[in-house]
Amino acid sequence: MIPSQSFPASQGRVVIDALVTTIDDHAAMLSEIDGAIGDGDHGINMRKGFLMARDELPGQVDLSTGLTTLGDALLTRIGGAMGPLYGSFFVEMGGACAGLERIDGTTVGRMLAAGRAVVEDLGEARVGDKTLLDTLVPTAEAYQASLAEGASFSAALSVMAEAAERGKESTRELVARVGRASRLGERSRGVLDAGATSCWLLLTALAASMNELLAAEG
Amino acid sequence: MIPSQSFPASQGRVVIDALVTTIDDHAAMLSEIDGAIGDGDHGINMRKGFLMARDELPGQVDLSTGLTTLGDALLTRIGGAMGPLYGSFFVEMGGACAGLERIDGTTVGRMLAAGRAVVEDLGEARVGDKTLLDTLVPTAEAYQASLAEGASFSAALSVMAEAAERGKESTRELVARVGRASRLGERSRGVLDAGATSCWLLLTALAASMNELLAAEG
Amino acid sequence: MQRIIDDPALVVEDMLQGFVRAHPDLVAATDDPRVLRAVGAPVAGKVGIVTGGGSGHKPAFIGYLGRNMVDAVAVGEIFTSPSAAAFLNAFRAADAGAGVACLYGNYAGDNMNVKLARRSAEKEGIRVETVIANDDVPSAPRDEREKRRGVAGEVLMWKVGGARAALGGTLDEVIAAAQKAIDSTRSIGVGLTPCTIPAVGKPNFSIEPGMMEVGIGHHGEPGVSVEPLKPARDIARLMLEVILPDLPFERGDEVAILVSGLGATPVMELYILFDHLATIATEAGLSIYRPYVGNYFTSLEMMGATVTVMRLDDELKACLDLEADSVGLRQLPA
Amino acid sequence: MQRIIDDPALVVEDMLQGFVRAHPDLVAATDDPRVLRAVGAPVAGKVGIVTGGGSGHKPAFIGYLGRNMVDAVAVGEIFTSPSAAAFLNAFRAADAGAGVACLYGNYAGDNMNVKLARRSAEKEGIRVETVIANDDVPSAPRDEREKRRGVAGEVLMWKVGGARAALGGTLDEVIAAAQKAIDSTRSIGVGLTPCTIPAVGKPNFSIEPGMMEVGIGHHGEPGVSVEPLKPARDIARLMLEVILPDLPFERGDEVAILVSGLGATPVMELYILFDHLATIATEAGLSIYRPYVGNYFTSLEMMGATVTVMRLDDELKACLDLEADSVGLRQLPA
Ligand SMILES: Nc1ncnc2c1ncn2[C@@H]1O[C@H](COP(=O)(O)OP(=O)(O)O)[C@@H](O)[C@H]1O
Ligand SMILES: Nc1ncnc2c1ncn2[C@@H]1O[C@H](COP(=O)(O)OP(=O)(O)O)[C@@H](O)[C@H]1O
Ligand SMILES: [Mg+2]
Ligand SMILES: [Mg+2]
Ligand SMILES: [Mg+2]
Ligand SMILES: [Mg+2]
């Protein structure tokens, strides 16, 4: 049994920066994916909200405050469906690690579960509808399963990244049933869903930044 | 000296029909010419007015009444610059042969002069501006000159048709100075003027129908 | 993209600034740059009327701020719901203690943001009730009316709700009138060309020349069919054939008809369409109490039109008849 | 051609029928199918206000029929002057014995048709005086002002003339006020796309994507330059740089500013443009007494905008302030 891995909650800024950076770097790609079967603004909307959120953060911030601030900024600034969904997602993730000194694998499991629940509750979509839930739900479940099977925090984070990628790719074969892309019915098959793609980017950045923080712990 | 040729004024319908028919037959061509440097509606406008005018005429009508009715219909129905210009043109032509039993070459000379005067007065354009005056003015003058040189009515009518054609062709090399086509400045050079073309059609039909009436006189 | 704009990412901000400057008699800015209020709002004792939605629908939504109309509007990005924070601030700007009627359209984003804002408002002691417009018939079958989108019928809902509040209605009375208004209203749109969101830079969907999309939504949501473009007479008929049986409207009903252009269709054509609609409606035994023809709810430079029919009773007629002063709808005292 | 029409040759007839049906409170048909009058016109003792012009400019011209506005309108084909007969019948419909002020725009066809109609009217004992709008600065140099076209400044001319007549002015007083209105007004248009006359079926001129035509007329008449499309801020500046020095407008002047879309430009963009215009005008020392932003004088589905600035004095302000009720311009009592 390996000793339980963790990183200090005070390093929140590293995680938030990774989230903002991946959205900023991939905004054009996200809009292009959205353009194929949606209205082509997913990257624009997300970048606007994430950059504004970063501007509101102090240089040093604990993970809970950082995620809550990010979530609040998205709720306040970007509107649409993404504002409340990703906004509530990050607010709930932040809430699930509030008050903790150190973040370990179990905590991240609780965070993902809380985030997933609010997105399902608010958005009323299901796995298979070709939305970000097709990334989020299987990823949260795979992460939890790997912990349950005894994987280390860092191993579970790698599982998270792989599951997110598979979840994102799964949307390629789906027909959109909610959101703008449902306009196209069968014609929405064959391309990725934009929200599922941004969710993959975010979860991948989350996993990578946390693994980085774990590595720094030595 | 050949005996003065003439035809009965009561045969006005033959002339009016010839005028209406040529416009009706060439409406698409006129619009196309107008489309090159104007707004492409010359044929549409003209056909609408001429067909309405014909509908208002009794089966049998003397030339003066026929031309006046045609002119009034154009004045009443087609608006734009063509309504008042061609409308007044035909009203004045009709006025110049009012009360006559027979129409001879001299009468037609007076008719053309009256028509030309009102168009110049109302439109305030000049020969060389790339308008219908480039057909009308030289044609009226050539007709008058040929009568003065002793040509018969029917010979003068042939001169009329030839002069109208030359007048129309002369607009090809002109730069529009009035009307919509003046928008294009130098770019208006190289194509015919729509109004000059319809004026050529009308004067040609006038000459041909009158020559037909003269021939019928034997 | 032939547009008169500066930074495509800031068109909403730039527009709002010009709008407030152009209509100081009617609208005012608030502390939230994404919320405008009517001059004089909140009106003491009056129920506050709030709406909100994505931008690009001029005169909707801010064009209906004004006297006897809407008190505060939450403003979103182009075709994107305003944030929950904006809705909350709009509730605050409109509330004079008598509560707020939030009258908005049925879109996923708006529903979520209103839901979140309403939770926060109620924590502050602001009572918020909602009416969710779902007048767009082609957007879902009749037995799933709760899934239908809100379109130009919202204008009539705001007129009724605004008037009912101005006439002294309680929050429950205002909500009941606005709910009746939208329940009595059916709409359909026909799209002839797409439109381009400035920040995106290319059309957000496509309609082939010579075709039309029947039942299209305000953001290019799918219609019920794409068919060859027909004469206005036939377009009028097929639009009414969808909406009249749905309520159903019946012989003897008095109705309001609202024809709105989608943006770039010349207003001349709206009158041509209206003439056929009026003829067909009259043949169907409806009597047209009040026609509205113009650009009431647009989608940037989309070509096409929406048709809205509302069955009237005495209360709805009194509400429609009340004078009103807003950019999008001005009615002088009778 | 993505249009909601029936027979392209009959769009004006069809539109008129729908228009009269949609606005029975404001307008009425006359015996001449090409003349509409305001409900209640001719008003006993009042000078009649008449205008007229080609169709395709909604709400101009018939949209300005109404109370304290225009009494009768002569209607032409698309972009084509009404006939002399229509102008004559409009004079007859508007005259209540106090004479008729014919306030129209400077186009060759309109000039000829009004001239002929006026001759006939005067034979019938109807006194007709004219004001010929020539507010479009780019259409001719300053020393040939009489050659300039009338554009959206006509709306303000009608508002002033209509108000002056409603306030009891004699024919000479109405003409003097309307003449002062147009003499104090300067306009300029910028075109971003052409438009298509339905009966013609293809655009009546062309503007390359990415370009704009500065100084374009309402029917695509040539501008002063074709240049790369600029940000709204720069468009506003170059428009005012043409019109402000022409009057010239001077520091301390109170002005009305009217921004009109040409048809298909989203109204959102008009507000973006207006915001810059207001900033630049204020910097130039002008104070904006009354802004108008909207689709006041369009050209079918052309994209672009016109800007009109009018210097005000007390009489013009009183005229602009008077309540008015018409489709295109509604002002409630202050
Ligand atoms: N109800 C929902 N639940 C979860 N995700 C959703 C829902 N509706 C839409 N989405 C996601 O939103 C994405 C589109 O986001 P975005 O382009 O920013 O918004 P919009 O569709 O308003 O333009 C879709 O790709 C989809 O993944
Ligand atoms: N002032 C004028 N005098 C004589 N002819 C004119 C004048 N103005 C225009 N025209 C003629 O009118 C023709 C165009 O007519 P038409 O297309 O029917 O009208 P519009 O230019 O209003 O569309 C031009 O080709 C020209 O010959
Ligand atoms: Mg999108
Ligand atoms: Mg033409
Ligand atoms: Mg969007
Ligand atoms: Mg024309």
Side-chain angles (χ1 to χ4, degrees):
Chain A
M1 186 78 200
I2 46 170
S4 170
Q5 294 176 296
S6 71
F7 64 85
S10 59
Q11 291 294 323
R13 182 82 207 207
V14 174
V15 177
I16 305 299
D17 280 346
L19 297 173
V20 175
T21 302
T22 194
I23 292 301
D24 190 23
D25 287 351
H26 297 94
M29 178 190 94
L30 291 174
S31 284
E32 198 173 312
I33 292 173
D34 190 35
I37 54 170
D39 62 356
D41 62 356
H42 187 58
I44 297 164
N45 294 344
M46 295 286 284
R47 174 192 261 153
K48 202 164 175 175
F50 277 68
L51 291 182
M52 279 177 171
R54 182 169 60 188
D55 289 347
E56 284 177 16
L57 282 176
Q60 185 83 17
V61 73
D62 72 82
L63 185 63
S64 173
T65 310
L67 289 170
T68 309
T69 307
L70 172 61
D72 277 337
L74 298 180
L75 276 168
T76 313
R77 309 292 193 142
I78 69 171
M82 289 300 96
L85 289 174
Y86 274 128
S88 304
F89 176 70
F90 288 118
V91 167
E92 291 300 317
M93 295 241 298
C97 62
L100 299 179
E101 284 287 309
R102 297 192 69 84
I103 307 296
D104 62 14
T106 317
T107 304
V108 170
R110 276 207 312 275
M111 289 164 66
L112 282 178
R116 165 196 169 172
V118 73
V119 171
E120 285 182 311
D121 172 52
L122 208 53
E124 295 172 16
R126 291 183 196 173
V127 170
D129 285 349
K130 195 161 185 145
T131 73
L132 62 91
L133 286 176
D134 291 305
T135 300
L136 180 56
V137 171
T139 303
E141 285 171 358
Y143 177 87
Q144 206 56 48
S146 85
L147 280 192
E149 285 160 16
S152 70
F153 186 11
S154 63
L157 287 172
S158 303
V159 167
M160 185 194 293
E162 287 154 22
E165 166 125 40
R166 272 197 310 279
K168 179 256 291 180
E169 285 298 327
S170 77
T171 63
R172 216 185 274 279
E173 286 316 307
L174 294 172
V175 171
R177 281 198 296 255
V178 303
R180 264 174 236 292
S182 63
R183 156 180 185 80
L184 300 171
E186 270 300 326
R187 281 178 292 155
S188 65
R189 206 191 288 279
V191 294
L192 293 174
D193 173 62
T197 307
S198 61
C199 192
W200 159 67
L201 290 172
L202 289 168
L203 293 173
T204 305
L206 190 86
S209 59
M210 287 183 172
N211 249 332
E212 207 179 286
L213 289 169
L214 289 179
E217 293 296 297
Chain B
M1 187 74 202
I2 45 171
S4 171
Q5 293 175 298
S6 70
F7 63 84
S10 59
Q11 293 291 325
R13 181 81 208 206
V14 173
V15 177
I16 305 298
D17 280 346
L19 297 173
V20 175
T21 303
T22 196
I23 293 300
D24 190 22
D25 288 349
H26 297 92
M29 178 190 95
L30 291 175
S31 285
E32 198 172 312
I33 292 173
D34 190 33
I37 54 171
D39 60 357
D41 64 355
H42 188 59
I44 297 165
N45 294 344
M46 294 286 283
R47 174 193 260 153
K48 203 164 176 176
F50 276 69
L51 291 181
M52 279 176 171
R54 181 168 61 188
D55 290 347
E56 284 178 15
L57 280 177
Q60 185 84 17
V61 72
D62 72 80
L63 185 64
S64 173
T65 311
L67 289 170
T68 309
T69 307
L70 173 61
D72 277 336
L74 298 180
L75 275 169
T76 313
R77 311 290 193 146
I78 68 172
M82 288 300 94
L85 289 175
Y86 274 129
S88 303
F89 176 70
F90 287 119
V91 166
E92 291 299 318
M93 295 240 301
C97 62
L100 298 178
E101 283 287 309
R102 298 191 67 84
I103 307 297
D104 62 13
T106 316
T107 304
V108 170
R110 275 203 315 273
M111 289 164 66
L112 283 178
R116 166 197 168 171
V118 73
V119 171
E120 286 183 309
D121 172 50
L122 209 51
E124 295 172 15
R126 293 187 194 170
V127 169
D129 285 350
K130 193 160 185 149
T131 72
L132 63 89
L133 285 177
D134 290 306
T135 300
L136 181 56
V137 170
T139 303
E141 284 172 0
Y143 177 87
Q144 206 56 48
S146 87
L147 280 190
E149 284 161 17
S152 69
F153 186 8
S154 63
L157 288 171
S158 304
V159 167
M160 183 193 296
E162 286 153 23
E165 165 125 41
R166 271 196 311 278
K168 178 256 291 181
E169 286 298 327
S170 76
T171 62
R172 216 184 273 280
E173 287 316 308
L174 294 172
V175 170
R177 280 197 298 252
V178 303
R180 267 174 232 295
S182 62
R183 158 180 183 76
L184 300 171
E186 269 300 323
R187 282 178 291 156
S188 66
R189 207 192 287 277
V191 295
L192 293 174
D193 173 63
T197 306
S198 62
C199 192
W200 159 67
L201 289 171
L202 289 167
L203 293 173
T204 304
L206 189 87
S209 60
M210 287 185 172
N211 248 332
E212 208 180 284
L213 288 168
L214 288 180
E217 292 294 298
Chain C
M1 210 179 37
Q2 298 296 81
R3 308 305 269 268
I4 305 178
I5 58 173
D6 297 289
D7 183 344
L10 297 176
V11 286
V12 174
E13 284 78 358
D14 293 346
M15 172 275 290
L16 286 174
Q17 196 163 306
F19 190 81
V20 171
R21 208 161 176 179
H23 304 295
D25 50 325
L26 286 170
V27 304
T30 69
D31 289 343
D32 185 333
R34 288 309 182 97
V35 175
L36 298 189
R37 65 174 177 85
V39 165
V43 179
K46 191 181 84 69
V47 169
I49 306 290
V50 165
T51 191
S55 294
H57 299 300
K58 286 265 135 356
F61 295 77
I62 54 176
Y64 295 104
L65 282 165
R67 201 155 54 82
N68 297 348
M69 292 290 295
V70 174
D71 292 296
V73 168
V75 179
E77 286 297 315
I78 303 286
F79 293 180
T80 301
S81 168
S83 67
F87 273 112
L88 175 60
N89 285 324
F91 297 157
R92 290 171 176 154
D95 184 47
V100 170
C102 180
L103 315 177
Y104 71 100
N106 191 25
Y107 294 90
D110 296 289
N111 286 329
M112 291 184 226
N113 287 300
V114 169
K115 193 200 273 186
L116 293 169
R118 196 177 163 189
R119 268 186 217 155
S120 309
E122 301 205 325
K123 281 185 202 143
E124 295 179 13
I126 302 176
R127 189 173 156 216
V128 178
E129 297 295 338
T130 61
V131 177
I132 308 177
N134 57 348
D135 52 307
D136 185 41
V137 174
S139 51
R142 194 152 178 257
D143 55 4
E144 294 178 276
R145 255 195 76 214
E146 75 287 352
K147 289 197 181 165
R148 288 181 178 171
R149 300 179 294 253
V151 286
E154 294 182 41
V155 176
L156 299 178
M157 170 180 72
W158 297 323
K159 179 75 182 81
V160 167
R164 197 67 190 80
L167 292 168
T170 63
L171 180 54
D172 290 342
E173 286 165 347
V174 170
I175 289 292
Q179 187 69 57
K180 178 167 68 181
I182 208 69
D183 286 343
S184 310
T185 298
R186 295 294 183 274
S187 299
I188 182 174
V190 167
L192 275 61
T193 68
C195 59
T196 296
I197 299 174
V200 176
K202 55 180 190 207
N204 58 348
F205 60 100
S206 71
I207 300 174
E208 296 303 309
M211 304 299 282
M212 63 179 177
E213 182 154 345
V214 180
I216 199 162
H218 273 168
H219 318 93
E221 295 94 340
V224 283
S225 64
V226 176
E227 18 186 310
L229 184 54
K230 296 190 169 50
R233 165 181 305 112
D234 302 330
I235 297 175
R237 187 164 298 281
L238 69 83
M239 290 175 98
L240 288 182
E241 275 168 2
V242 173
I243 61 180
L244 293 189
D246 191 83
L247 187 65
F249 293 88
E250 285 166 351
R251 256 174 204 288
D253 283 350
E254 279 187 290
V255 298
I257 295 191
L258 184 147
V259 179
S260 178
L262 284 176
T265 282
V267 174
M268 152 177 269
E269 299 174 23
L270 305 180
Y271 286 106
I272 295 176
L273 183 65
F274 171 74
D275 191 47
H276 295 302
L277 294 167
T279 300
I280 299 165
T282 306
E283 280 165 14
L286 308 185
S287 90
I288 302 174
Y289 180 75
R290 210 176 243 285
Y292 295 89
V293 181
N295 284 320
Y296 286 97
F297 203 131
T298 63
S299 294
L300 294 174
E301 82 290 11
M302 212 189 282
M303 282 185 142
T306 60
V307 170
T308 299
V309 185
M310 177 193 231
R311 182 176 58 209
L312 301 176
D313 63 10
D314 288 343
E315 183 189 27
L316 294 177
K317 283 197 274 183
C319 288
L320 289 188
D321 288 348
L322 189 71
E323 66 175 287
D325 197 8
S326 68
V327 172
L329 190 62
R330 270 198 184 97
Q331 288 178 204
L332 275 82
Chain D
M1 207 179 39
Q2 298 296 83
R3 308 305 270 268
I4 304 179
I5 58 172
D6 298 289
D7 183 343
L10 297 177
V11 287
V12 174
E13 283 78 358
D14 294 346
M15 172 277 289
L16 286 173
Q17 196 163 306
F19 190 82
V20 171
R21 210 160 173 178
H23 304 295
D25 51 325
L26 284 171
V27 304
T30 69
D31 289 342
D32 185 332
R34 289 310 183 96
V35 175
L36 299 189
R37 66 174 176 84
V39 166
V43 180
K46 190 180 85 68
V47 169
I49 305 292
V50 166
T51 190
S55 293
H57 299 299
K58 287 262 134 356
F61 295 80
I62 53 177
Y64 295 103
L65 282 165
R67 200 156 54 83
N68 298 349
M69 291 290 294
V70 174
D71 292 297
V73 168
V75 179
E77 285 296 315
I78 303 285
F79 293 178
T80 301
S81 168
S83 68
F87 273 112
L88 175 59
N89 285 323
F91 297 157
R92 289 171 176 155
D95 183 48
V100 169
C102 180
L103 315 178
Y104 71 100
N106 191 25
Y107 294 90
D110 295 290
N111 286 330
M112 289 185 228
N113 287 300
V114 168
K115 192 200 275 185
L116 291 169
R118 196 177 163 191
R119 266 185 219 157
S120 309
E122 302 209 323
K123 280 185 204 146
E124 296 179 14
I126 303 175
R127 192 176 154 215
V128 178
E129 297 295 337
T130 61
V131 177
I132 309 177
N134 57 348
D135 51 308
D136 186 41
V137 174
S139 52
R142 193 152 180 257
D143 55 3
E144 294 178 275
R145 255 195 76 214
E146 74 289 350
K147 288 196 182 166
R148 288 181 177 172
R149 300 179 295 251
V151 285
E154 295 183 41
V155 176
L156 299 178
M157 170 180 73
W158 298 323
K159 178 75 182 80
V160 167
R164 198 66 191 81
L167 292 168
T170 63
L171 180 54
D172 290 342
E173 286 166 347
V174 170
I175 290 290
Q179 187 69 56
K180 179 169 65 181
I182 209 70
D183 286 343
S184 310
T185 298
R186 295 295 184 273
S187 300
I188 181 173
V190 166
L192 273 62
T193 69
C195 59
T196 296
I197 299 173
V200 176
K202 55 179 192 213
N204 60 349
F205 60 99
S206 71
I207 300 175
E208 296 303 309
M211 304 299 283
M212 64 179 177
E213 182 153 345
V214 180
I216 199 162
H218 273 167
H219 317 93
E221 294 94 339
V224 283
S225 63
V226 176
E227 20 185 309
L229 185 53
K230 295 189 171 53
R233 167 181 305 111
D234 300 331
I235 296 175
R237 186 164 298 281
L238 70 82
M239 290 174 99
L240 288 182
E241 274 169 3
V242 173
I243 62 181
L244 294 188
D246 191 83
L247 188 68
F249 293 89
E250 284 166 353
R251 255 173 205 287
D253 283 349
E254 280 187 289
V255 299
I257 295 191
L258 185 146
V259 180
S260 178
L262 285 175
T265 282
V267 173
M268 152 178 271
E269 300 174 24
L270 305 180
Y271 285 107
I272 295 176
L273 184 64
F274 171 73
D275 190 46
H276 295 301
L277 293 166
T279 300
I280 299 166
T282 306
E283 281 165 14
L286 307 185
S287 89
I288 302 173
Y289 180 75
R290 211 175 241 286
Y292 295 89
V293 181
N295 284 320
Y296 286 97
F297 203 130
T298 63
S299 294
L300 294 172
E301 82 290 12
M302 211 189 283
M303 282 186 142
T306 60
V307 170
T308 298
V309 184
M310 178 193 228
R311 182 175 58 207
L312 302 176
D313 63 12
D314 289 342
E315 183 188 27
L316 295 176
K317 285 198 272 183
C319 289
L320 288 188
D321 288 348
L322 189 70
E323 65 175 288
D325 197 7
S326 69
V327 172
L329 190 63
R330 271 198 183 99
Q331 289 179 203
L332 276 82

